[in-house]
Amino acid sequence: MTSNLTIEQTVRLGDQLIKEGLITPEQLAEALARQQSTGQRIGSSLVDIGAISSSSLVQTLSSRLGVKGCVLRHGLIDPKIAKCVAKEEAERLKVLPLFRVRDDLTVAMVEPQSIPVQDRLRNLTGCTIRPVLVLEENLAEYQKKYLASEVNVDSFLASMEESEITISENEAVDEGPVTDLDKMVDGSPIVNLVNLAVLTALREGASDIHIEPDRDATHIRYRIDGHLREMLKPPKGMHAAIVSRIKVIGRMDIAEKRLPQEGRVHIVADGKEIDLRVSSMPTILGEKIVIRILDKSNLSFRLVDLGITGQDARAIEAMIHSPYGLMLVTGPTGSGKTTTLYSSLDLLRDESRNIVTIEDPVEYQLPLINQIQVSEGVGLTFLRALRSILRQDPDVVMVGEIRDRDTAEVAIQAALTGHLVMSTLHTNDCPGGVMRLIDMGVEPFLISAAVLGFVAQRLARKICPSCKTSYYPPPNLLKSVGWEHRGNELFQKGEGCRECHNTGFRGRIGIYEIMLLDSELKRMTQEEVSEGRIRMYLAEAGWRTLRMKALDLVEEGKSTLEEVLRVTRSEAMEVGDPTGGGIEKDKSPLEAD
C-alpha cells in the first residue's frame, strides 16, 4: 500500500486527490507537514486532519492498485475465520481474514499487492487468497477486537456506532413517556452491547443467551452444544439498562420487575431473519434474562442431517406415511424432539394435506402448515385446541406435548378416527413410553390400537475435527460397557482448540432408538405386562437400545466414550450385551403389522 510508495508517488497521490476534488492544495500541504512530524502515511495524515474520509481514501488507493478495498466493520468479519491465522502472524503480515466461501479466503491486507504475503497466507490456510485493501489503522483496530483471546466489551462498544441488527417494523414498540432509564437504554453503548451479545451468539451457534446479575458484574453466558459458556462480562452498572433494552425490543413491560415476563422479537442479523424468544425472571440480585435463538437457516429438516439413517429412517417414514395412527417422540428437554417432529412434518408438507400443529410456543414458522399457539391465559390449552382442530378437517395433527390423560385420550381418539397424530412424551426411552401412557390412565387396548410406535432420542456432542486425536480411555470406562478386552485400542477425542473453545467438541449428533408396535407388543400392552418383560422381548428380537446406538458413534470416531455414557442411561443396557455382541449391528427396528 502507501508504505511502498516513494515520496514522488506520494505527491502524485496527493495531486490525484486534488484533481478529483477530494482535497485542496492547502489541505495537502498541511498533511505533508504533519507527515514530517509524525511519520504517518500521507493518507492517514489527510484522514486525521479531516481532509478526506477513510472510505474515499480507500476507494482512491484501491483504484490506483487495481484491487478491491473496504473499511472494516462488524458484520464483514466471521470471528471463527478471523482466527484461522495466528495473532502474531496476522500482525506481522498486517492481515485479517474476513470470511471464507468454500476454498476462497477473503483477507483484509495493508499491502494487497504483496505476492510474498499472499503466498504465506496460502501456505498457512490452504485456500485461494482474495486480497482486500484496508488502511493500517483500521486493520489494527479490528485485529485487536477479533484476534484477542477473549472479547473486550469496552473496545466493541467504542466502535459499534452503527447497529448491526434491524428490528422488524411490525415488532416496534409504541412510544410512551420517556424516563431517565429510557434515555439510558437509548444510549448507543447499551444498544451495541445487546447487538454484540446476539451477533456473537449467532456466529458461535448458541441456542440460548443467559444474562445474569451478580454482585460484581453481569454474566452473559451462551448455551453451545448443550453446555453453558461465559462469553462476555460487562460491568454490573449496565445490567438494568441491558435488561430494559431487551424488554423494549421484546415488547415487555420495563416497569414490571417483580413478575416473570415473556416476549418475542423478529430481527434481521448478518442478513438472516432470526426469531428471539425472551423470558425474564426476578432474582434477589436483579432480573435474569434468557433469550432463545430460533435461527431457521441453521435448521435442517432432512432426517439424514439429524443422524437418522438406514433402517431407522425407513421405520420413521413408515410411521409418518401411515394414513392414521399416533407417533410419539420421547426424551428429556433439549433432546431435539421438536426438530424431529418438524422434520417428519416437512416430509408430509404439500398442498394435498391439511396439516395443523398445536405448540407452546411455536418455534419455527413453516409454509403450508397451520400452526396454533397455546395460550393458557385465555383458555386455549392443548386439550381445547385439539378438540377444535378435529372439526377443521385435518389430515395430520401435531401436538407439541401430551401432558395429561385428557389430551392423551383425545389424541388417541383422533388417531383412531382416521388422522395421523404426532406428539411428544417426557420419558427416558421407548418401552417407558408405553408405561407412561398407562400411568396417565389411558386404557391399554386404546394404546395398542392407536399407537404406531415410539422414537426415543438424545443429542451427543461431536468430536471437534480441528483438534481430533487418539487416546486410550480409562480401564473403568471400558469395563462399564463391557469393552475391557479393548484396553490396547486407540479411541478418538478432541484435545481442545480455539475452534471449539478448548472443549474438544463442536456440534451435536442425534442418537435414536425406534420401537414400532408389532402384534406381540400390542398383545403385551393389552395384558399390561411389566416394562422388564417388554425389554426382554425386545432384546430377544434384536432390538438395539440408545446406549448401543451411542456406542456406534464411538466406534465410528464421531463422539467419545465419556460423552455417550453421559447422555445415555445405563438402565438401557439391561436388556442385552452392552457391546452389542451377539446382536446383528444393522438389525432393523421391529416391523409393525
Side-chain angles (χ1 to χ4, degrees):
M1 207 182 80
T2 52
S3 60
N4 289 339
L5 298 176
T6 65
I7 295 296
E8 181 181 357
Q9 289 173 316
T10 301
V11 173
R12 287 207 303 269
L13 171 62
D15 290 340
Q16 181 180 346
L17 294 172
I18 293 173
K19 183 178 180 180
E20 294 176 359
L22 297 174
I23 63 173
T24 66
E26 292 76 17
Q27 288 172 326
L28 176 59
E30 182 182 351
L32 287 169
R34 181 182 179 86
Q35 182 188 35
Q36 290 181 353
S37 61
T38 63
Q40 285 181 310
R41 295 179 174 85
I42 186 63
S44 298
S45 297
L46 286 167
V47 172
D48 285 350
I49 67 174
I52 190 173
S53 67
S54 296
S55 58
S56 296
L57 178 59
V58 167
Q59 185 176 357
T60 301
L61 289 171
S62 62
S63 177
R64 284 166 63 87
L65 295 173
V67 297
K68 293 183 178 180
C70 74
V71 176
L72 296 179
R73 62 177 177 82
H74 300 290
L76 282 177
I77 308 166
D78 184 331
K80 291 183 178 179
I81 298 301
K83 293 182 177 181
C84 71
V85 176
K87 181 175 183 290
E88 296 75 14
E89 189 78 3
E91 290 175 344
R92 183 181 70 82
L93 298 175
K94 296 182 180 179
V95 300
L96 180 64
L98 302 181
F99 54 87
R100 184 175 65 196
V101 179
R102 291 182 290 274
D103 292 331
D104 290 345
L105 180 65
T106 299
V107 183
M109 303 172 62
V110 171
E111 297 183 351
Q113 77 279 23
S114 173
I115 300 302
V117 172
Q118 291 189 34
D119 288 342
R120 177 61 176 161
L121 289 172
R122 190 179 300 111
N123 292 333
L124 287 172
T125 64
C127 295
T128 300
I129 305 302
R130 306 295 183 192
V132 175
L133 170 71
V134 294
L135 299 180
E136 185 168 359
E137 291 78 6
N138 187 212
L139 179 81
E141 175 189 358
Y142 281 81
Q143 281 182 331
K144 184 178 180 181
K145 292 176 174 60
Y146 284 89
L147 300 182
S149 57
E150 295 182 357
V151 177
N152 185 313
V153 173
D154 293 335
S155 66
F156 270 91
L157 296 183
S159 62
M160 288 185 71
E161 297 177 357
E162 297 182 2
S163 175
E164 302 289 348
I165 295 179
T166 302
I167 311 292
S168 296
E169 291 183 6
N170 60 352
E171 297 289 346
V173 182
D174 295 335
E175 292 185 3
V178 178
T179 65
D180 289 341
L181 186 56
D182 292 331
K183 294 177 182 177
M184 183 180 181
V185 169
D186 271 342
S188 61
I190 299 302
V191 172
N192 290 336
L193 178 55
V194 173
N195 289 352
L196 168 64
V198 174
L199 282 170
T200 305
L202 285 172
R203 292 164 179 171
E204 294 292 338
S207 61
D208 300 87
I209 306 172
H210 290 242
I211 301 171
E212 303 164 327
D214 202 350
R215 297 187 184 279
D216 302 318
T218 294
H219 300 278
I220 300 181
R221 300 192 292 168
Y222 297 161
R223 188 172 294 281
I224 301 173
D225 296 337
H227 288 247
L228 283 172
R229 303 175 193 166
E230 184 166 272
M231 304 293 282
L232 300 170
K233 195 175 179 180
K236 179 176 176 55
M238 287 185 172
H239 186 78
I242 292 170
V243 169
S244 293
R245 168 60 182 169
I246 294 170
K247 282 186 171 182
V248 166
I249 64 175
R251 306 185 72 177
M252 300 156 72
D253 184 358
I254 66 172
E256 179 56 74
K257 298 175 170 52
R258 300 166 299 173
L259 296 174
Q261 295 187 62
E262 293 184 358
R264 189 161 187 156
V265 59
H266 185 77
I267 66 172
V268 178
D270 276 349
K272 297 186 292 186
E273 293 190 5
I274 309 293
D275 282 323
L276 305 179
R277 208 168 68 220
V278 185
S279 171
S280 70
M281 178 67 68
T283 74
I284 59 173
L285 295 176
E287 290 182 276
K288 173 177 176 174
I289 297 285
V290 176
I291 303 174
R292 168 64 58 88
I293 299 172
L294 304 172
D295 182 1
K296 190 175 178 181
S297 67
N298 289 336
L299 186 67
S300 174
F301 292 136
R302 298 198 316 147
L303 295 180
V304 65
D305 292 337
L306 302 180
I308 307 174
T309 59
Q311 298 285 358
D312 287 350
R314 288 190 286 275
I316 288 182
E317 289 174 2
M319 283 190 280
I320 66 178
H321 288 298
S322 175
Y324 59 88
L326 175 61
M327 181 179 92
L328 291 167
V329 182
T330 75
T333 300
S335 60
K337 299 188 297 295
T338 302
T339 301
T340 299
L341 288 177
Y342 278 149
S343 301
S344 300
L345 291 177
D346 193 56
L347 290 174
L348 297 172
R349 184 164 50 96
D350 61 40
E351 295 179 354
S352 68
R353 292 186 178 92
N354 178 20
I355 302 176
V356 187
T357 72
I358 313 168
E359 304 173 62
D360 183 21
V362 173
E363 295 197 2
Y364 297 98
Q365 297 181 24
L366 303 175
L368 292 178
I369 294 180
N370 305 288
Q371 295 173 272
I372 299 170
Q373 171 84 47
V374 168
S375 179
E376 301 279 354
V378 298
L380 184 59
T381 62
F382 277 113
L383 179 59
R384 186 169 183 178
L386 181 54
R387 284 174 171 162
S388 298
I389 280 175
L390 297 181
R391 293 188 286 272
Q392 291 278 315
D393 186 31
D395 296 300
V396 181
V397 178
M398 191 268 272
V399 183
E401 181 183 352
I402 292 179
R403 298 176 177 175
D404 51 49
R405 173 181 176 178
D406 291 339
T407 306
E409 288 185 341
V410 174
I412 285 176
Q413 288 298 331
L416 290 174
T417 54
H419 305 89
L420 178 62
V421 183
M422 304 177 186
S423 190
T424 67
L425 274 178
H426 280 290
T427 63
N428 291 314
D429 53 21
C430 292
V434 175
M435 297 299 110
R436 173 67 175 145
L437 290 175
I438 293 175
D439 289 343
M440 280 184 178
V442 180
E443 293 292 342
F445 75 89
L446 292 176
I447 299 173
S448 64
V451 176
L452 298 169
F454 295 85
V455 178
Q457 63 184 82
R458 299 291 188 276
L459 292 175
R461 291 179 295 171
K462 294 190 294 185
I463 298 171
C464 174
S466 300
C467 59
K468 195 171 188 178
T469 187
S470 299
Y471 82 118
Y472 294 101
N476 63 313
L477 280 180
L478 293 173
K479 184 178 180 180
S480 68
V481 295
W483 283 357
E484 50 265 73
H485 60 286
R486 303 179 63 176
N488 294 326
E489 292 184 32
L490 285 170
F491 289 78
Q492 302 296 310
K493 73 171 184 176
E495 281 189 310
C497 64
R498 183 184 298 160
E499 293 291 322
C500 61
H501 300 282
N502 292 315
T503 63
F505 299 97
R506 184 144 57 96
R508 290 191 289 179
I509 189 170
I511 309 169
Y512 303 87
E513 69 177 20
I514 299 172
M515 184 180 81
L516 302 182
L517 263 64
D518 63 4
S519 56
E520 181 63 18
L521 282 173
K522 289 178 180 179
R523 182 192 64 77
M524 296 173 78
T525 300
Q526 290 187 41
E527 294 178 0
E528 296 187 57
V529 303
S530 68
E531 187 175 333
R533 287 274 294 113
I534 293 177
R535 292 183 186 279
M536 287 178 61
Y537 166 71
L538 291 171
E540 291 169 0
W543 185 69
R544 309 191 71 241
T545 66
L546 276 169
R547 175 64 65 85
M548 294 175 185
K549 298 285 189 69
L551 291 175
D552 289 345
L553 299 181
V554 178
E555 298 266 25
E556 296 164 6
K558 294 179 179 178
S559 192
T560 67
L561 190 55
E562 293 87 344
E563 175 67 6
V564 300
L565 291 180
R566 182 185 68 83
V567 300
T568 58
R569 287 178 45 157
S570 60
E571 287 85 349
M573 300 306 300
E574 293 176 359
V575 299
D577 179 1
T579 66
I583 297 177
E584 184 179 338
K585 185 169 184 178
D586 294 324
K587 188 76 174 180
S588 67
L590 296 173
E591 296 295 336
D593 288 346

